[in-house]
Amino acid sequence: MSTEDARTTVPAAEAKLLRRMYELFNTQQVDDLTRIAFHPDVDWPNVAEGTRLHGIDAVLAYWRRQFAVAHPLVRMEGLAAEPDGRIAVRVRPGLRDATGDHWSDITLHHVYAFRDGKVAHMEVRQDAEDGAEEGGSEAQHRDGGGA
């Protein structure tokens, strides 16, 4: 589903916030991202370790560790409202290096729950059509903002 198609099912304010989150993550402006988008008690996946992070400071520290070794990218490819009110964002992970941007062959879903107009929870799901098991490698699961 394209982002354009999803505008009728995803609340406009949340769709706008999610688009902005991915823009900021891809430019590593994560202080700005968390200030505008995250609930103070955000619950976020640490995909590398298979744990959960709690609070903005924990997410910022996680991203700074990622950025110290790589420049992860996440391209938003679609939005869909889930029956329980969460929003699933179809994304394609990638990395930037000296030769340019490199995009994965897989897609993932970042699934968001909101509280008070801000992201309160995010989980990562691998697309079933990619044929891979849930989990995958760290390179496949660089997340952001909404990632």
Side-chain angles (χ1 to χ4, degrees), residues 67-146:
F67 296 157
V69 296
H71 187 135
L73 301 169
V74 185
R75 182 172 62 209
M76 181 185 228
E77 294 189 347
L79 293 167
E82 298 217 322
D84 63 4
R86 294 182 301 166
I87 298 172
V89 181
R90 185 173 181 171
V91 300
R92 185 167 308 275
L95 290 171
R96 179 172 293 151
D97 65 18
T99 64
D101 295 350
H102 307 279
W103 297 100
S104 174
D105 292 336
I106 66 148
T107 56
L108 305 169
H109 278 94
H110 291 171
V111 183
Y112 295 92
F114 287 79
R115 185 168 61 231
D116 302 327
K118 295 192 175 203
V119 172
H121 180 90
M122 193 272 263
E123 66 185 59
V124 179
R125 291 189 207 145
Q126 184 138 2
D127 283 356
E129 66 263 22
D130 288 322
E133 292 181 21
E134 183 72 27
S137 72
E138 167 64 1
Q140 292 173 328
H141 281 50
R142 302 267 185 220
D143 51 271

Side-chain angles (χ1 to χ4, degrees), residues 3 5-6 13 20 24 36 46-47 53 73 85 105 114 121 125 145:
T3 303
D5 295 337
R20 185 69 179 137
L24 291 171
I36 66 167
N46 176 334
V47 178
L53 304 168
L73 301 169
D105 292 336
F114 287 79
H121 180 90
R125 291 189 207 145

